[in-house]
Amino acid sequence: MADVKTPAELEVAAEAARAALGRALRGLGAFHIDACVKCGLCGESCHIWRADPVPANLPGAKAAVVVRHFRRHHTVVGRLAPFLVGARALTPAAFDELVDAVYGRCTGCGRCGLNCSVGADIAALIRAGRIAAAAAGRVPPNIQVVVDNQLQTGNQMAVTAEELKQTSSWIAEDLKIELGAADVTIPVDEPGRRVLYLINPREVKFFPLSLMAAAGLFHAAGESWTLSSRFFDVTNYGLFAGDDAAAARITLQAMEEAARLGVAEVILSECGHGFRSFRWEGPNWLGRPYDLPIRSVLELLWEYIASGRVKVDPAKNAERVTLHDPCNLVRWGGVSEPQRRILRACCADFVEMTPNREQNFCCGGGGGMLSTSEYGERRIASGQTKAEQIRATGAKIVATPCHNCADQLLELNKKYKLGVEIMSVGELAYNALVK
Amino acid sequence: MYATLRIIAAAALAWAAALLLAQLLRAWAGGRKDYAQAAGSGGRGIVYNLTAAMSPAHKEAARNHPLGFGAGVILHAGVAVAVLEWLALIARPFAYPRILAITLTVVLALALAGSLFLLGNRILRSRMRALSSFDDYFSPAMTFAFLALAAAYAFGKITPPPFLVYGAVFFFYLPLGKLKHVLFCPVSRIDLGRRLGRRGTFPPAR
């Protein structure tokens, strides 16, 4: 989005933000605004507040930064008696604080909402603040550039079709050797297959082992699948930016690609926010249900193992393994058990961290925070709770079905000297594969 | 005069109900249809979020802050008693039997203690002050006074008019400030419970 500089342009942007905030919070969001009693008990639920317990990091305070603007512009009491309810105008000068609160002090993990005294969905209020900021062109540049990449090139890292094909080709060659099977392929743009597999572009650029593991397991299961070289990206930074229009376009291009290839099902690689975006938010961004079912690869992998299509030997993963639950996959996505069943089947010594599942702590890398270098120190500090959880398990391997979480955990591993290895669930399952 | 006060009190009650209903309908009308195919049950999610999710076993905020949680429970129990007392007064003034008067007074006195604890917490702690607007002090103060008058009336220390009139003021203010959480707290729990129930997060798997 173009830089906004003149006072008149700033005012136009602020007006766009005010209107967007009204649209975002009118309706169900309004329930949550009026439920919050500002009891202040939400602090301990937030990994950012636990690392730095200043008032600005209280989830209720972050939500209040958003709510006060909504009240000022969209409620009768806020217009007539703003002092009464702490309502404040969303002027151009107010944006710095808004942006800091909603992008720099919250990952939208939603743990505070589950533990809120009154049950207010604080993360929804924070995202409404992001929607307002996005309408004013105030998305942090490093998140915006990812959205722009997705819209312009079809994937967040601007990976070309040629790059994808080349990477797929050498991974397939490696798999042939590893599996001792000459017929291993990584199909790209093959119409009529049963499954379209969407991956994180990082799997092409930096984490080919994730794609290799999935391809190996698909081969072992005899799955009929394909990648797409046009739209293969499981991520959707429209969710983090607060840009629902962009999020809808990103969703649409993948679903149209699935229809073009004539697949029966879309399977999503291990990605927290990608799963939430495609599985749960996507139909609502598009305003219609999908024509195809969408599942996480974890659900499919467990189906293979449970049905005996893929045979695994837990002795092949002898070291202690623990699991980090990505917030968008587990709390916001409802997928908590398949990954546990897979790890129990594939690892000799699987231990839970505490708390876990829907009560897990965010690692600190969610909500787009991983991309925002301006909040880097805060992000690493906020991972302290996660680091302590990991250390308490005594695990040597931390499995996590999310590349954003994996990146953050890699940094936490260094910073807090955890001495662990970070792996995807699929990589551990592939390790355990009886070839 | 008493008849006039009853009408004023009933009018305040009607005002509160009408405004809350209007706000609820406005919020509901803006609600979005969920097009994603459900993986779980919205109904089960709602039931969970209105019951077990609120217990200390499931809610960290309650578990980690037993004093605050306890004060909140007692305060809300006292408010419920005070409201019932006030509603009964609109219908007909009567003297409570001694045992009932003592019981009500004890409950209301505990609620007053809870109210004081929470209000004191808000005034004395910097993190709470930073979070609070005028209404965050005003609404609890109004509630404290309402509880005090209810206790005084139950124990026969005041006549009906002051309690009746103050209750009308209390209900007139209720839909304007944070007191309206009386409605929006359960509605929020229903909304989030339904959403996370459909996604299969609620009730938790463990």
Side-chain angles (χ1 to χ4, degrees), chain A residues 28-58:
Chain A
L28 297 185
F31 295 165
H32 301 281
I33 290 174
D34 290 324
C36 178
V37 292
K38 297 189 202 161
C39 67
L41 298 185
C42 44
E44 285 86 353
S45 304
C46 172
H47 60 290
I48 294 176
W49 188 88
R50 290 165 72 97
D52 184 14
V54 296
N57 284 339
L58 266 176

PDB file of all heavy atoms in Angstrom, chain A residues 28-58:
ATOM      1  N   LEU A  28     -21.115 -10.091  16.183  1.00  0.00           N
ATOM      2  CA  LEU A  28     -20.735 -10.937  17.304  1.00  0.00           C
ATOM      3  C   LEU A  28     -19.602 -10.357  18.144  1.00  0.00           C
ATOM      4  O   LEU A  28     -19.547 -10.583  19.344  1.00  0.00           O
ATOM      5  CB  LEU A  28     -20.364 -12.323  16.795  1.00  0.00           C
ATOM      6  CG  LEU A  28     -21.516 -13.060  16.127  1.00  0.00           C
ATOM      7  CD1 LEU A  28     -21.098 -14.465  15.754  1.00  0.00           C
ATOM      8  CD2 LEU A  28     -22.738 -13.120  17.025  1.00  0.00           C
ATOM      9  N   GLY A  29     -18.705  -9.602  17.513  1.00  0.00           N
ATOM     10  CA  GLY A  29     -17.616  -9.017  18.271  1.00  0.00           C
ATOM     11  C   GLY A  29     -18.117  -8.128  19.387  1.00  0.00           C
ATOM     12  O   GLY A  29     -17.481  -8.005  20.438  1.00  0.00           O
ATOM     13  N   ALA A  30     -19.264  -7.507  19.148  1.00  0.00           N
ATOM     14  CA  ALA A  30     -19.813  -6.593  20.147  1.00  0.00           C
ATOM     15  C   ALA A  30     -20.128  -7.323  21.451  1.00  0.00           C
ATOM     16  O   ALA A  30     -20.038  -6.748  22.536  1.00  0.00           O
ATOM     17  CB  ALA A  30     -21.061  -5.912  19.611  1.00  0.00           C
ATOM     18  N   PHE A  31     -20.493  -8.591  21.363  1.00  0.00           N
ATOM     19  CA  PHE A  31     -20.743  -9.358  22.590  1.00  0.00           C
ATOM     20  C   PHE A  31     -19.507  -9.319  23.484  1.00  0.00           C
ATOM     21  O   PHE A  31     -19.592  -9.145  24.692  1.00  0.00           O
ATOM     22  CB  PHE A  31     -20.997 -10.837  22.274  1.00  0.00           C
ATOM     23  CG  PHE A  31     -22.236 -11.103  21.491  1.00  0.00           C
ATOM     24  CD1 PHE A  31     -22.400 -12.333  20.888  1.00  0.00           C
ATOM     25  CD2 PHE A  31     -23.241 -10.168  21.351  1.00  0.00           C
ATOM     26  CE1 PHE A  31     -23.538 -12.618  20.166  1.00  0.00           C
ATOM     27  CE2 PHE A  31     -24.385 -10.434  20.635  1.00  0.00           C
ATOM     28  CZ  PHE A  31     -24.526 -11.677  20.039  1.00  0.00           C
ATOM     29  N   HIS A  32     -18.375  -9.528  22.829  1.00  0.00           N
ATOM     30  CA  HIS A  32     -17.146  -9.696  23.599  1.00  0.00           C
ATOM     31  C   HIS A  32     -16.647  -8.369  24.176  1.00  0.00           C
ATOM     32  O   HIS A  32     -16.064  -8.341  25.248  1.00  0.00           O
ATOM     33  CB  HIS A  32     -16.089 -10.379  22.731  1.00  0.00           C
ATOM     34  CG  HIS A  32     -16.558 -11.718  22.241  1.00  0.00           C
ATOM     35  ND1 HIS A  32     -16.539 -12.847  23.020  1.00  0.00           N
ATOM     36  CD2 HIS A  32     -17.140 -12.095  21.081  1.00  0.00           C
ATOM     37  CE1 HIS A  32     -17.052 -13.859  22.358  1.00  0.00           C
ATOM     38  NE2 HIS A  32     -17.428 -13.432  21.173  1.00  0.00           N
ATOM     39  N   ILE A  33     -16.901  -7.281  23.486  1.00  0.00           N
ATOM     40  CA  ILE A  33     -16.555  -5.958  24.018  1.00  0.00           C
ATOM     41  C   ILE A  33     -17.292  -5.721  25.322  1.00  0.00           C
ATOM     42  O   ILE A  33     -16.730  -5.282  26.313  1.00  0.00           O
ATOM     43  CB  ILE A  33     -16.984  -4.850  23.033  1.00  0.00           C
ATOM     44  CG1 ILE A  33     -16.122  -4.880  21.796  1.00  0.00           C
ATOM     45  CG2 ILE A  33     -16.930  -3.476  23.689  1.00  0.00           C
ATOM     46  CD1 ILE A  33     -16.601  -3.914  20.733  1.00  0.00           C
ATOM     47  N   ASP A  34     -18.587  -6.014  25.300  1.00  0.00           N
ATOM     48  CA  ASP A  34     -19.420  -5.690  26.449  1.00  0.00           C
ATOM     49  C   ASP A  34     -19.384  -6.754  27.533  1.00  0.00           C
ATOM     50  O   ASP A  34     -20.025  -6.604  28.568  1.00  0.00           O
ATOM     51  CB  ASP A  34     -20.852  -5.426  25.986  1.00  0.00           C
ATOM     52  CG  ASP A  34     -20.925  -4.128  25.198  1.00  0.00           C
ATOM     53  OD1 ASP A  34     -20.204  -3.188  25.566  1.00  0.00           O
ATOM     54  OD2 ASP A  34     -21.683  -4.053  24.215  1.00  0.00           O
ATOM     55  N   ALA A  35     -18.666  -7.834  27.264  1.00  0.00           N
ATOM     56  CA  ALA A  35     -18.510  -8.858  28.300  1.00  0.00           C
ATOM     57  C   ALA A  35     -17.323  -8.538  29.203  1.00  0.00           C
ATOM     58  O   ALA A  35     -17.365  -8.793  30.398  1.00  0.00           O
ATOM     59  CB  ALA A  35     -18.306 -10.226  27.657  1.00  0.00           C
ATOM     60  N   CYS A  36     -16.277  -7.959  28.643  1.00  0.00           N
ATOM     61  CA  CYS A  36     -15.043  -7.740  29.409  1.00  0.00           C
ATOM     62  C   CYS A  36     -15.288  -6.771  30.567  1.00  0.00           C
ATOM     63  O   CYS A  36     -15.805  -5.675  30.365  1.00  0.00           O
ATOM     64  CB  CYS A  36     -13.944  -7.185  28.500  1.00  0.00           C
ATOM     65  SG  CYS A  36     -12.406  -6.843  29.382  1.00  0.00           S
ATOM     66  N   VAL A  37     -14.923  -7.209  31.775  1.00  0.00           N
ATOM     67  CA  VAL A  37     -15.100  -6.353  32.949  1.00  0.00           C
ATOM     68  C   VAL A  37     -13.760  -5.792  33.422  1.00  0.00           C
ATOM     69  O   VAL A  37     -13.670  -5.203  34.490  1.00  0.00           O
ATOM     70  CB  VAL A  37     -15.799  -7.103  34.109  1.00  0.00           C
ATOM     71  CG1 VAL A  37     -17.235  -7.406  33.753  1.00  0.00           C
ATOM     72  CG2 VAL A  37     -15.052  -8.382  34.468  1.00  0.00           C
ATOM     73  N   LYS A  38     -12.725  -6.001  32.627  1.00  0.00           N
ATOM     74  CA  LYS A  38     -11.375  -5.531  32.938  1.00  0.00           C
ATOM     75  C   LYS A  38     -10.969  -5.967  34.346  1.00  0.00           C
ATOM     76  O   LYS A  38     -10.571  -5.151  35.171  1.00  0.00           O
ATOM     77  CB  LYS A  38     -11.294  -4.016  32.797  1.00  0.00           C
ATOM     78  CG  LYS A  38     -11.549  -3.542  31.372  1.00  0.00           C
ATOM     79  CD  LYS A  38     -11.231  -2.075  31.270  1.00  0.00           C
ATOM     80  CE  LYS A  38     -11.932  -1.415  30.112  1.00  0.00           C
ATOM     81  NZ  LYS A  38     -11.993   0.033  30.247  1.00  0.00           N
ATOM     82  N   CYS A  39     -11.112  -7.263  34.588  1.00  0.00           N
ATOM     83  CA  CYS A  39     -10.759  -7.802  35.904  1.00  0.00           C
ATOM     84  C   CYS A  39      -9.248  -7.930  36.057  1.00  0.00           C
ATOM     85  O   CYS A  39      -8.747  -8.068  37.178  1.00  0.00           O
ATOM     86  CB  CYS A  39     -11.432  -9.155  36.111  1.00  0.00           C
ATOM     87  SG  CYS A  39     -10.804 -10.427  35.005  1.00  0.00           S
ATOM     88  N   GLY A  40      -8.534  -7.939  34.938  1.00  0.00           N
ATOM     89  CA  GLY A  40      -7.068  -7.995  35.000  1.00  0.00           C
ATOM     90  C   GLY A  40      -6.501  -9.367  35.300  1.00  0.00           C
ATOM     91  O   GLY A  40      -5.301  -9.504  35.525  1.00  0.00           O
ATOM     92  N   LEU A  41      -7.357 -10.409  35.286  1.00  0.00           N
ATOM     93  CA  LEU A  41      -6.872 -11.745  35.623  1.00  0.00           C
ATOM     94  C   LEU A  41      -6.295 -12.486  34.417  1.00  0.00           C
ATOM     95  O   LEU A  41      -5.857 -13.627  34.530  1.00  0.00           O
ATOM     96  CB  LEU A  41      -8.013 -12.584  36.239  1.00  0.00           C
ATOM     97  CG  LEU A  41      -8.614 -12.058  37.541  1.00  0.00           C
ATOM     98  CD1 LEU A  41      -9.638 -13.053  38.095  1.00  0.00           C
ATOM     99  CD2 LEU A  41      -7.545 -11.789  38.589  1.00  0.00           C
ATOM    100  N   CYS A  42      -6.320 -11.841  33.257  1.00  0.00           N
ATOM    101  CA  CYS A  42      -5.895 -12.529  32.034  1.00  0.00           C
ATOM    102  C   CYS A  42      -4.376 -12.545  31.855  1.00  0.00           C
ATOM    103  O   CYS A  42      -3.863 -13.237  30.977  1.00  0.00           O
ATOM    104  CB  CYS A  42      -6.565 -11.906  30.809  1.00  0.00           C
ATOM    105  SG  CYS A  42      -6.582 -10.101  30.803  1.00  0.00           S
ATOM    106  N   GLY A  43      -3.654 -11.773  32.673  1.00  0.00           N
ATOM    107  CA  GLY A  43      -2.213 -11.635  32.479  1.00  0.00           C
ATOM    108  C   GLY A  43      -1.460 -12.952  32.403  1.00  0.00           C
ATOM    109  O   GLY A  43      -0.720 -13.212  31.453  1.00  0.00           O
ATOM    110  N   GLU A  44      -1.676 -13.813  33.393  1.00  0.00           N
ATOM    111  CA  GLU A  44      -0.890 -15.057  33.454  1.00  0.00           C
ATOM    112  C   GLU A  44      -1.179 -15.997  32.292  1.00  0.00           C
ATOM    113  O   GLU A  44      -0.415 -16.927  32.031  1.00  0.00           O
ATOM    114  CB  GLU A  44      -1.154 -15.801  34.776  1.00  0.00           C
ATOM    115  CG  GLU A  44      -0.476 -15.170  35.977  1.00  0.00           C
ATOM    116  CD  GLU A  44      -1.302 -14.062  36.595  1.00  0.00           C
ATOM    117  OE1 GLU A  44      -2.352 -13.699  36.011  1.00  0.00           O
ATOM    118  OE2 GLU A  44      -0.908 -13.547  37.655  1.00  0.00           O
ATOM    119  N   SER A  45      -2.287 -15.767  31.614  1.00  0.00           N
ATOM    120  CA  SER A  45      -2.620 -16.627  30.475  1.00  0.00           C
ATOM    121  C   SER A  45      -1.830 -16.251  29.234  1.00  0.00           C
ATOM    122  O   SER A  45      -1.839 -16.985  28.256  1.00  0.00           O
ATOM    123  CB  SER A  45      -4.116 -16.510  30.149  1.00  0.00           C
ATOM    124  OG  SER A  45      -4.868 -16.819  31.270  1.00  0.00           O
ATOM    125  N   CYS A  46      -1.192 -15.089  29.262  1.00  0.00           N
ATOM    126  CA  CYS A  46      -0.539 -14.549  28.066  1.00  0.00           C
ATOM    127  C   CYS A  46       0.973 -14.713  28.164  1.00  0.00           C
ATOM    128  O   CYS A  46       1.595 -14.240  29.117  1.00  0.00           O
ATOM    129  CB  CYS A  46      -0.902 -13.070  27.929  1.00  0.00           C
ATOM    130  SG  CYS A  46       0.002 -12.227  26.632  1.00  0.00           S
ATOM    131  N   HIS A  47       1.566 -15.346  27.159  1.00  0.00           N
ATOM    132  CA  HIS A  47       3.019 -15.579  27.182  1.00  0.00           C
ATOM    133  C   HIS A  47       3.790 -14.264  27.110  1.00  0.00           C
ATOM    134  O   HIS A  47       4.900 -14.161  27.639  1.00  0.00           O
ATOM    135  CB  HIS A  47       3.420 -16.501  26.029  1.00  0.00           C
ATOM    136  CG  HIS A  47       3.101 -15.959  24.678  1.00  0.00           C
ATOM    137  ND1 HIS A  47       1.803 -15.843  24.199  1.00  0.00           N
ATOM    138  CD2 HIS A  47       3.892 -15.476  23.696  1.00  0.00           C
ATOM    139  CE1 HIS A  47       1.839 -15.320  22.994  1.00  0.00           C
ATOM    140  NE2 HIS A  47       3.084 -15.078  22.659  1.00  0.00           N
ATOM    141  N   ILE A  48       3.211 -13.252  26.491  1.00  0.00           N
ATOM    142  CA  ILE A  48       3.910 -11.965  26.366  1.00  0.00           C
ATOM    143  C   ILE A  48       3.902 -11.231  27.713  1.00  0.00           C
ATOM    144  O   ILE A  48       4.913 -10.679  28.154  1.00  0.00           O
ATOM    145  CB  ILE A  48       3.278 -11.118  25.245  1.00  0.00           C
ATOM    146  CG1 ILE A  48       3.515 -11.824  23.901  1.00  0.00           C
ATOM    147  CG2 ILE A  48       3.862  -9.703  25.220  1.00  0.00           C
ATOM    148  CD1 ILE A  48       2.877 -11.170  22.702  1.00  0.00           C
ATOM    149  N   TRP A  49       2.778 -11.262  28.383  1.00  0.00           N
ATOM    150  CA  TRP A  49       2.696 -10.628  29.715  1.00  0.00           C
ATOM    151  C   TRP A  49       3.595 -11.359  30.718  1.00  0.00           C
ATOM    152  O   TRP A  49       4.257 -10.742  31.555  1.00  0.00           O
ATOM    153  CB  TRP A  49       1.248 -10.625  30.212  1.00  0.00           C
ATOM    154  CG  TRP A  49       1.074  -9.824  31.469  1.00  0.00           C
ATOM    155  CD1 TRP A  49       0.807  -8.497  31.566  1.00  0.00           C
ATOM    156  CD2 TRP A  49       1.182 -10.306  32.822  1.00  0.00           C
ATOM    157  NE1 TRP A  49       0.740  -8.112  32.885  1.00  0.00           N
ATOM    158  CE2 TRP A  49       0.970  -9.199  33.677  1.00  0.00           C
ATOM    159  CE3 TRP A  49       1.432 -11.556  33.380  1.00  0.00           C
ATOM    160  CZ2 TRP A  49       0.994  -9.313  35.062  1.00  0.00           C
ATOM    161  CZ3 TRP A  49       1.469 -11.674  34.764  1.00  0.00           C
ATOM    162  CH2 TRP A  49       1.245 -10.555  35.591  1.00  0.00           C
ATOM    163  N   ARG A  50       3.635 -12.685  30.626  1.00  0.00           N
ATOM    164  CA  ARG A  50       4.459 -13.448  31.580  1.00  0.00           C
ATOM    165  C   ARG A  50       5.934 -13.071  31.456  1.00  0.00           C
ATOM    166  O   ARG A  50       6.651 -13.035  32.451  1.00  0.00           O
ATOM    167  CB  ARG A  50       4.292 -14.951  31.329  1.00  0.00           C
ATOM    168  CG  ARG A  50       2.915 -15.476  31.713  1.00  0.00           C
ATOM    169  CD  ARG A  50       2.674 -16.845  31.136  1.00  0.00           C
ATOM    170  NE  ARG A  50       3.457 -17.863  31.793  1.00  0.00           N
ATOM    171  CZ  ARG A  50       3.012 -18.642  32.767  1.00  0.00           C
ATOM    172  NH1 ARG A  50       1.761 -18.523  33.185  1.00  0.00           N
ATOM    173  NH2 ARG A  50       3.781 -19.550  33.327  1.00  0.00           N
ATOM    174  N   ALA A  51       6.345 -12.766  30.211  1.00  0.00           N
ATOM    175  CA  ALA A  51       7.750 -12.398  30.005  1.00  0.00           C
ATOM    176  C   ALA A  51       8.020 -10.961  30.422  1.00  0.00           C
ATOM    177  O   ALA A  51       9.129 -10.632  30.856  1.00  0.00           O
ATOM    178  CB  ALA A  51       8.117 -12.588  28.540  1.00  0.00           C
ATOM    179  N   ASP A  52       7.017 -10.122  30.301  1.00  0.00           N
ATOM    180  CA  ASP A  52       7.198  -8.698  30.605  1.00  0.00           C
ATOM    181  C   ASP A  52       5.885  -8.152  31.172  1.00  0.00           C
ATOM    182  O   ASP A  52       5.051  -7.618  30.437  1.00  0.00           O
ATOM    183  CB  ASP A  52       7.572  -7.955  29.308  1.00  0.00           C
ATOM    184  CG  ASP A  52       7.870  -6.481  29.571  1.00  0.00           C
ATOM    185  OD1 ASP A  52       8.041  -6.100  30.743  1.00  0.00           O
ATOM    186  OD2 ASP A  52       7.931  -5.714  28.586  1.00  0.00           O
ATOM    187  N   PRO A  53       5.688  -8.313  32.502  1.00  0.00           N
ATOM    188  CA  PRO A  53       4.381  -8.002  33.083  1.00  0.00           C
ATOM    189  C   PRO A  53       4.125  -6.502  33.286  1.00  0.00           C
ATOM    190  O   PRO A  53       3.958  -6.027  34.412  1.00  0.00           O
ATOM    191  CB  PRO A  53       4.396  -8.761  34.412  1.00  0.00           C
ATOM    192  CG  PRO A  53       5.826  -8.911  34.760  1.00  0.00           C
ATOM    193  CD  PRO A  53       6.603  -8.921  33.484  1.00  0.00           C
ATOM    194  N   VAL A  54       4.104  -5.783  32.186  1.00  0.00           N
ATOM    195  CA  VAL A  54       3.736  -4.362  32.244  1.00  0.00           C
ATOM    196  C   VAL A  54       2.270  -4.242  31.828  1.00  0.00           C
ATOM    197  O   VAL A  54       1.763  -5.099  31.102  1.00  0.00           O
ATOM    198  CB  VAL A  54       4.624  -3.500  31.314  1.00  0.00           C
ATOM    199  CG1 VAL A  54       6.069  -3.544  31.772  1.00  0.00           C
ATOM    200  CG2 VAL A  54       4.513  -3.966  29.859  1.00  0.00           C
ATOM    201  N   PRO A  55       1.572  -3.196  32.301  1.00  0.00           N
ATOM    202  CA  PRO A  55       0.135  -3.088  32.004  1.00  0.00           C
ATOM    203  C   PRO A  55      -0.192  -3.192  30.507  1.00  0.00           C
ATOM    204  O   PRO A  55      -1.201  -3.790  30.132  1.00  0.00           O
ATOM    205  CB  PRO A  55      -0.231  -1.706  32.557  1.00  0.00           C
ATOM    206  CG  PRO A  55       0.724  -1.493  33.676  1.00  0.00           C
ATOM    207  CD  PRO A  55       2.007  -2.129  33.234  1.00  0.00           C
ATOM    208  N   ALA A  56       0.682  -2.635  29.658  1.00  0.00           N
ATOM    209  CA  ALA A  56       0.372  -2.652  28.218  1.00  0.00           C
ATOM    210  C   ALA A  56       0.329  -4.059  27.649  1.00  0.00           C
ATOM    211  O   ALA A  56      -0.228  -4.272  26.566  1.00  0.00           O
ATOM    212  CB  ALA A  56       1.419  -1.835  27.458  1.00  0.00           C
ATOM    213  N   ASN A  57       0.907  -5.036  28.360  1.00  0.00           N
ATOM    214  CA  ASN A  57       0.897  -6.412  27.861  1.00  0.00           C
ATOM    215  C   ASN A  57      -0.264  -7.247  28.388  1.00  0.00           C
ATOM    216  O   ASN A  57      -0.402  -8.411  28.022  1.00  0.00           O
ATOM    217  CB  ASN A  57       2.220  -7.119  28.209  1.00  0.00           C
ATOM    218  CG  ASN A  57       3.346  -6.670  27.296  1.00  0.00           C
ATOM    219  OD1 ASN A  57       3.101  -6.164  26.198  1.00  0.00           O
ATOM    220  ND2 ASN A  57       4.575  -6.837  27.747  1.00  0.00           N
ATOM    221  N   LEU A  58      -1.087  -6.673  29.255  1.00  0.00           N
ATOM    222  CA  LEU A  58      -2.275  -7.400  29.716  1.00  0.00           C
ATOM    223  C   LEU A  58      -3.218  -7.589  28.528  1.00  0.00           C
ATOM    224  O   LEU A  58      -3.541  -6.611  27.833  1.00  0.00           O
ATOM    225  CB  LEU A  58      -3.020  -6.591  30.768  1.00  0.00           C
ATOM    226  CG  LEU A  58      -2.729  -6.839  32.228  1.00  0.00           C
ATOM    227  CD1 LEU A  58      -3.514  -5.854  33.076  1.00  0.00           C
ATOM    228  CD2 LEU A  58      -3.058  -8.258  32.635  1.00  0.00           C
TER     229      LEU A  58
END
